[in-house]
Amino acid sequence: MSGSIKEQINKLRQEINEHNYRYHVLDDPLISDAEYDRLFQQLKKLETTHPEFILPDSPTQRVGAAPLKSFHSVEHTVPMLSLDNAFTEHDVMAFDQRIRDKLHTTHPIEYCCEPKLDGLAINLRYEKGQLVQAATRGDGMIGEEVTDNIKTIRTVPWQLKGEDVPDVLEVRGEVFMSKKSFNQLNDDAQAKNEKIFANPRNAAAGSVRQLDSKITASRPLAIFCYGIGLVEGMKLPAKHSEVLSCLERWGLRVNPFTAVVEDEKGCLLYYQKMAAKRDSLPYEIDGVVYKVNALSEQERLGFVSRAPRWAIAHKFPAEEAETIIQEVEFQVGRTGALTPVARLKPVHVHGVTVSNATLHNMDEIHRKDIHIGDHVVVRRAGDVIPEVVSVITTKRSSDIKKIKLPTHCPVCHSAIEQIEGEAVARCTGHLVCSAQRKEAIRHFASRRAMNIEGLGEKLVEQLVDAKLISSMADIYSLTHEEAANLERMGDKSAQNLFDEIEKSKTTTLPRFLYALGIREVGEATAKQLAMHFKTLEALQQASEETLQQVEDVGPVVAAHIVHFFHESHNREMIKKLLKAGIHWPEIKVGYQLPLKGKTFVLTGTLNEMSREEAKEKLEKLGAKVAGSVSSKTSYVVAGSDPGSKLDKARGLGVAVLDEKNFLKLLVKGC
Ligand code: IVH
């Protein structure tokens, strides 16, 4: 008896999974929704009476797992990169020219064109065809594990289909919410007096980053896959478009508007076509992506910093709307810079209500001839802060008011100075100015700096206003009681904050330098400085001339750095921070040594470099290169005609990288 129930359950499970695939992935259902529901209910009923036959891949199980306390970090095997943007036809032509120059060819380049979905990038890891992990992009190197949440998305297969599924496959895709689902979600939220999402992108991101996957399960999310991060145990086809076909064959969903074009002119035509379609698509797209189709050419082109040279996002023009400037206020930034901000009559721009827009600086105000009371065009481009594009002078009334630079800081009342030749006016209050202090502390705690989660704008504001902290160093002497007594805080949040503060003490020198907020020292410069000087002491003692030996550091930046370390209050603060226990690993060779502690074994012939070169590159990144495979080996790099080392690696379950993925891994340290 139970045998036949088991068989019935198995049959129904397979049947429903197949219908799911046809409906969600192929968009080609064989049966009606009602018929589907009937099958689903039948399976559910059988499983309720015979829970011993419920398998994890049953469609009834896509409901979410037990809530998590926090997300686990996942180090991406291959970094998740970002894309450069093109805004004009000229940018696209220049992109194509750069590619042909790099490839030394005058022939047209074949491109694969895809819509650029506006959602959240996800890496799906399949082992032997089974979904084992899903992670967000995070900072590109380290993301958050969101497997349970992603498993609730119906268009994400738990098991890949087909005979030729690779041993390991990491697929990259965009998780998104359709326009309709987004509107429904917000309508429901409004009815229940709950949080409204600003746009479908935020709704998708907010839904994926839920600790309780049952909440994610209740949100109508979908995915389009657009590439592969890592593949082991199979040779990829020659073209990106063929890779996408493989993904489709394995049951993954690929955007149906993907097209291969002959050259850059084909890209521009594709752009026009998608721009015309944009409004009628059921999901948001914010542009299109062009990718060099031949994988061998992609490899030759490689990467610059965080983006591949072989792909570009051609963005649609930012959305614009018309409104009125009601008032202009001046905000004080971390370095005292005064930014005029227009308070607008609230207006809808691309699905978001905009009530503030930056006016950048006084020069911009004069150049655009902006006055209080003017009718203006505001633009909101992606995540960028809305800005005032232009004044509609034909609508100007007689009672407009001139915008005046204040003579004194609106926060601390110190004098405002404007250095000749500089567009920016600054408050001279420095640490006296609570606005500057707040901004400096907020920057110190931000994700790319010391990464103290929870210590955002609002909390910093509360802490500074309550005089509990007045500098970044004070963060580390805050007491549990002080934090817990704050409004909206409580014991648990205070504990979380403390855990985060404690965690932040273990950092890296580049992060610490960036966190200090030295003028003109962004993330990239902080990395260059750390790589060059290796220790904080050496950097502190460097002269302007020595500093200028560092790439990207010119006389202005060098002067800012020297000035920063010269100020006794900064030196005192650094002392306090170090005394509080902030520390980082010693820098020996490279600035980050991303492969430190990893052992590699090379086998077979590599196309792009000799084994000697590969060894050298790996060692530069901190890895050890060994001659034979053991259980301690982290990776075996297998070129063509690999030897017995590969078999041994497989036998021991050691990760194997083919040349393409090996090259991608090397990018980590470049
Ligand atoms: S390719 C190395 N293709 O855009 C290539 N990205 O700005 C990296 N995105 O993080 C991405 N649609 O989240 C690619 N068809 C598409 C895309 C796409 C949306 C997102 C993705 C990425 C971001 C880069």
Side-chain angles (χ1 to χ4, degrees):
M1 169 71 187
S2 72
S4 73
I5 298 273
K6 189 176 172 186
E7 274 163 27
Q8 276 183 51
I9 288 184
N10 282 347
K11 192 164 160 280
L12 271 169
R13 193 181 62 239
Q14 280 163 18
E15 211 176 316
I16 296 172
N17 275 340
E18 183 61 26
H19 287 307
N20 263 339
Y21 168 69
R22 292 205 66 104
Y23 182 91
H24 292 291
V25 181
L26 299 184
D27 269 338
D28 182 22
L30 279 181
I31 56 170
S32 67
D33 287 4
E35 176 66 359
Y36 176 89
D37 288 343
R38 200 186 56 75
L39 291 174
F40 195 90
Q41 289 314 324
Q42 210 178 328
L43 175 63
K44 226 172 153 182
K45 208 165 141 200
L46 284 173
E47 284 182 343
T48 315
T49 44
H50 296 274
E52 68 275 22
F53 299 138
I54 303 180
L55 285 188
D57 75 333
S58 169
T60 57
Q61 301 303 299
R62 283 192 193 252
V63 288
L68 300 173
K69 291 214 169 54
S70 66
F71 293 112
H72 286 292
S73 291
V74 176
E75 191 176 350
H76 297 303
T77 332
V78 176
M80 287 182 81
L81 301 169
S82 162
L83 288 170
D84 270 344
N85 289 328
F87 295 98
T88 61
E89 291 202 0
H90 177 264
D91 293 348
V92 177
M93 305 298 262
F95 160 70
D96 175 68
Q97 189 60 49
R98 278 198 302 277
I99 285 177
R100 282 187 290 144
D101 289 348
K102 265 260 170 236
L103 295 176
H104 305 294
T105 180
T106 50
H107 293 297
I109 303 288
E110 189 183 85
Y111 291 100
C112 183
C113 307
E114 300 161 17
K116 185 171 185 295
L117 268 284
D118 204 4
L120 179 76
I122 291 287
N123 184 66
L124 304 174
R125 184 176 168 94
Y126 288 91
E127 288 176 10
K128 304 224 177 310
Q130 186 132 20
L131 178 62
V132 293
Q133 187 187 69
T136 61
R137 177 171 179 273
D139 65 1
M141 300 293 174
I142 295 174
E144 286 172 333
E145 210 220 307
V146 285
T147 315
D148 287 338
N149 295 359
I150 293 297
K151 280 176 111 174
T152 67
I153 303 175
R154 283 174 171 46
T155 38
V156 172
W158 289 6
Q159 179 72 45
L160 297 179
K161 299 156 77 77
E163 299 302 317
D164 59 343
V165 168
D167 294 345
V168 177
L169 177 72
E170 291 199 10
V171 186
R172 305 272 157 94
E174 195 84 350
V175 166
F176 64 95
M177 192 177 281
S178 73
K179 293 175 188 168
K180 193 168 147 211
S181 303
F182 165 73
N183 287 331
Q184 268 166 10
L185 182 72
N186 266 356
D187 286 350
D188 289 351
Q190 196 157 26
K192 289 189 215 143
N193 233 340
E194 283 171 4
K195 183 183 163 204
I196 305 262
F197 287 104
N199 51 44
R201 205 207 92 79
N202 286 355
S207 304
V208 169
R209 294 190 74 260
Q210 285 288 339
L211 290 171
D212 184 351
S213 57
K214 294 204 171 55
I215 298 181
T216 315
S218 72
R219 306 271 170 85
L221 296 166
I223 194 167
F224 278 128
C225 297
Y226 53 67
I228 281 183
L230 172 88
V231 67
E232 287 172 16
M234 89 165 262
K235 199 168 153 25
L236 284 180
K239 295 185 176 187
H240 174 73
S241 52
E242 294 167 339
V243 169
L244 295 182
S245 304
C246 280
L247 296 183
E248 267 189 317
R249 206 155 29 76
W250 293 329
L252 292 152
R253 195 159 174 246
V254 173
N255 191 287
F257 295 105
T258 304
V260 174
V261 299
E262 274 175 12
D263 55 16
E264 77 289 357
K265 289 189 209 74
C267 290
L268 296 176
L269 275 174
Y270 177 83
Y271 177 85
Q272 299 297 345
K273 207 178 95 186
M274 292 312 296
K277 255 195 189 20
R278 184 185 185 189
D279 282 344
S280 64
L281 289 176
Y283 40 79
E284 291 284 0
I285 60 173
D286 57 347
V288 294
V289 185
Y290 311 135
K291 298 176 183 171
V292 170
N293 204 16
L295 296 189
S296 58
E297 288 176 350
Q298 287 190 2
E299 261 169 40
R300 279 169 61 202
L301 288 161
F303 304 82
V304 242
S305 162
R306 288 171 169 271
R309 279 203 195 86
W310 45 264
I312 201 157
H314 190 176
K315 301 294 275 284
F316 292 132
E319 295 279 322
E320 296 179 350
E322 206 187 301
T323 186
I324 299 174
I325 298 188
Q326 294 175 321
E327 197 45 76
V328 171
E329 282 167 20
F330 285 80
Q331 270 176 4
V332 188
R334 168 164 62 88
T335 57
L338 244 56
T339 307
V341 178
R343 306 288 176 214
L344 307 167
K345 181 165 173 235
V347 61
H348 245 60
V349 190
H350 203 187
V352 172
T353 309
V354 174
S355 24
N356 301 308
T358 179
L359 298 172
H360 299 290
N361 53 52
M362 289 309 286
D363 282 1
E364 278 283 296
I365 292 178
H366 295 142
R367 198 171 59 76
K368 291 179 179 162
D369 188 27
I370 301 172
H371 290 73
I372 298 166
D374 264 335
H375 285 255
V376 289
V377 174
V378 287
R379 172 160 64 193
R380 192 191 136 253
D383 292 338
V384 183
I385 303 166
E387 59 172 358
V388 170
V389 185
S390 58
V391 175
I392 309 165
T393 40
T394 49
K395 290 196 178 170
R396 187 168 267 177
S397 71
S398 55
D399 57 358
I400 52 162
K401 264 197 335 211
K402 221 176 141 129
I403 302 166
K404 281 201 210 122
L405 179 70
T407 51
H408 289 86
C409 173
V411 178
C412 72
H413 311 292
S414 301
I416 297 296
E417 68 170 3
Q418 179 142 33
I419 295 170
E420 255 205 48
E422 266 193 35
V424 180
R426 285 175 206 281
C427 157
T428 52
H430 300 289
L431 294 183
V432 172
C433 181
S434 68
Q436 288 190 49
R437 274 187 279 134
K438 283 176 190 169
E439 277 302 301
I441 297 169
R442 195 194 51 73
H443 169 80
F444 180 82
S446 65
R447 194 163 66 88
R448 290 184 176 281
M450 300 303 278
N451 194 17
I452 309 178
E453 208 180 308
L455 192 49
E457 198 175 328
K458 291 232 168 65
L459 187 52
V460 170
E461 175 121 21
Q462 269 182 298
L463 289 167
V464 174
D465 288 347
K467 301 210 167 25
L468 292 176
I469 62 173
S470 67
S471 79
M472 18 188 131
D474 295 344
I475 296 172
Y476 296 93
S477 45
L478 194 67
T479 68
H480 186 284
E481 212 185 333
E482 284 168 340
N485 283 338
L486 286 172
E487 221 179 289
R488 293 191 301 274
M489 229 351 197
D491 243 16
K492 195 161 167 275
S493 319
Q495 192 52 48
N496 288 345
L497 177 68
F498 272 88
D499 292 346
E500 282 294 320
I501 292 175
E502 199 51 39
K503 219 168 72 188
S504 76
K505 290 183 183 170
T506 306
T507 186
T508 64
L509 181 54
R511 271 182 181 272
F512 182 72
L513 291 179
Y514 173 61
L516 289 176
I518 307 168
R519 260 173 78 182
E520 307 276 345
V521 177
E523 254 186 306
T525 310
K527 274 186 188 162
Q528 299 281 4
L529 289 169
M531 189 160 52
H532 188 93
F533 291 101
K534 315 256 190 313
T535 67
L536 178 63
E537 295 73 35
L539 172 64
Q540 278 180 300
Q541 281 153 22
S543 65
E544 289 189 24
E545 293 79 65
T546 329
L547 281 161
Q548 285 180 56
Q549 288 167 9
V550 179
E551 214 176 296
D552 293 346
V553 176
V556 176
V557 182
H560 284 319
I561 298 171
V562 167
H563 177 75
F564 181 90
F565 289 122
H566 185 74
E567 297 258 350
S568 59
H569 60 85
N570 287 335
R571 286 203 307 271
E572 275 310 306
M573 189 183 56
I574 291 174
K575 262 195 211 151
K576 272 197 200 164
L577 288 168
L578 298 180
K579 211 165 152 219
I582 292 180
H583 63 282
W584 48 82
E586 196 184 331
I587 299 176
K588 285 199 186 111
V589 192
Y591 63 98
Q592 235 183 351
L593 297 184
L595 300 181
K596 196 170 161 50
K598 302 248 183 322
T599 307
F600 283 70
V601 173
L602 304 167
T603 178
T605 316
L606 297 171
N607 290 326
E608 293 288 315
M609 64 186 91
S610 68
R611 273 214 236 164
E612 228 7 77
E613 278 176 275
K615 180 165 184 265
E616 213 173 284
K617 282 193 195 291
L618 282 168
E619 285 172 348
K620 261 199 175 155
L621 297 176
K624 260 192 15 209
V625 180
S628 59
V629 181
S630 75
S631 57
K632 295 213 177 77
T633 311
S634 322
Y635 292 99
V636 165
V637 178
S640 47
D641 301 322
S644 60
K645 289 175 192 168
L646 180 60
D647 299 329
K648 183 148 185 220
R650 295 239 163 89
L652 288 170
V654 171
V656 177
L657 292 176
D658 63 6
E659 181 163 1
K660 183 173 170 226
N661 288 313
F662 169 59
L663 292 174
K664 283 192 183 170
L665 189 90
L666 287 182
V667 176
K668 265 189 174 181
C670 301

